[in-house]
Amino acid sequence: MLHNKVFLAAALSASFTLTAIAGAMADTIVVSDQHARPSLGVSRISAGFLTLKNNGSEDDRLISVDSDVAERVELHTHINDKGVMRMRQVKSIPVKADDITMLKPGGYHIMFIKTAKQLKVGDSFRIKLNFAKAKPVSITMPVTKIMGHGMMMKKKTN
Ligand SMILES: [Cu+2]
């Protein structure tokens, strides 16, 4: 009886280890620092930010984000139009091989349009990131207090 239990524990632990290793190898894109802004206005618009790290040897692209938190989820960037920062929808966001792409205020971001409810600080929701090559990554986005979307006018120093 005891012997069986020990065997079962060993088998389980071995299988978990194998799963963990297989998972780590397949995860060429690692997502971190994800957070979303509380939704604003009658359109209940929120922006999401995160860091994408491509551990693979091939360039990739974030092509879409799925979430049932909002009616529409779009990929956006900011462009400097004669000194005025404007948002523009983009088809994809590049994630170069062995490199990091940051989605941050004033740059690339995920736009959540018409969130199912007003998102407040402390809320969280699930999103799935779809890439051109890497397998999709599902994460939880916490809603945190950050500067207003489109309000980031700080000049880049690099
Ligand atoms: Cu936007």
Side-chain angles (χ1 to χ4, degrees), residues 45-47 74-78 87-88 109-111 149:
I45 286 172
S46 169
E74 298 179 353
L75 302 176
H76 280 197
T77 191
H78 273 96
M87 290 197 305
R88 177 168 289 178
H109 56 277
I110 304 163
M111 195 99 239
H149 184 52

Side-chain angles (χ1 to χ4, degrees), residues 55-114:
N55 290 328
S57 53
E58 277 187 283
D59 292 349
D60 207 339
R61 287 174 297 125
L62 174 65
I63 52 170
S64 64
V65 174
D66 297 329
S67 178
D68 49 20
V69 76
E71 265 180 36
R72 259 169 51 218
V73 184
E74 298 179 353
L75 302 176
H76 280 197
T77 191
H78 273 96
I79 52 153
N80 190 327
D81 180 10
K82 298 179 186 107
V84 181
M85 294 300 278
R86 295 184 196 282
M87 290 197 305
R88 177 168 289 178
Q89 192 177 356
V90 291
K91 285 213 174 92
S92 64
I93 294 173
V95 195
K96 292 222 172 79
D98 199 24
D99 205 354
I100 287 170
T101 298
M102 286 174 75
L103 280 64
K104 56 185 180 185
Y108 286 121
H109 56 277
I110 304 163
M111 195 99 239
F112 301 97
I113 298 157
K114 293 220 171 184

Side-chain angles (χ1 to χ4, degrees), residues 7 11 34 43 49 61 66 77 92 102 137 153 155 157:
F7 175 78
Q34 69 270 20
S43 319
F49 308 99
R61 287 174 297 125
D66 297 329
T77 191
S92 64
M102 286 174 75
V137 178
M153 303 292 279
K155 279 209 181 96
T157 46

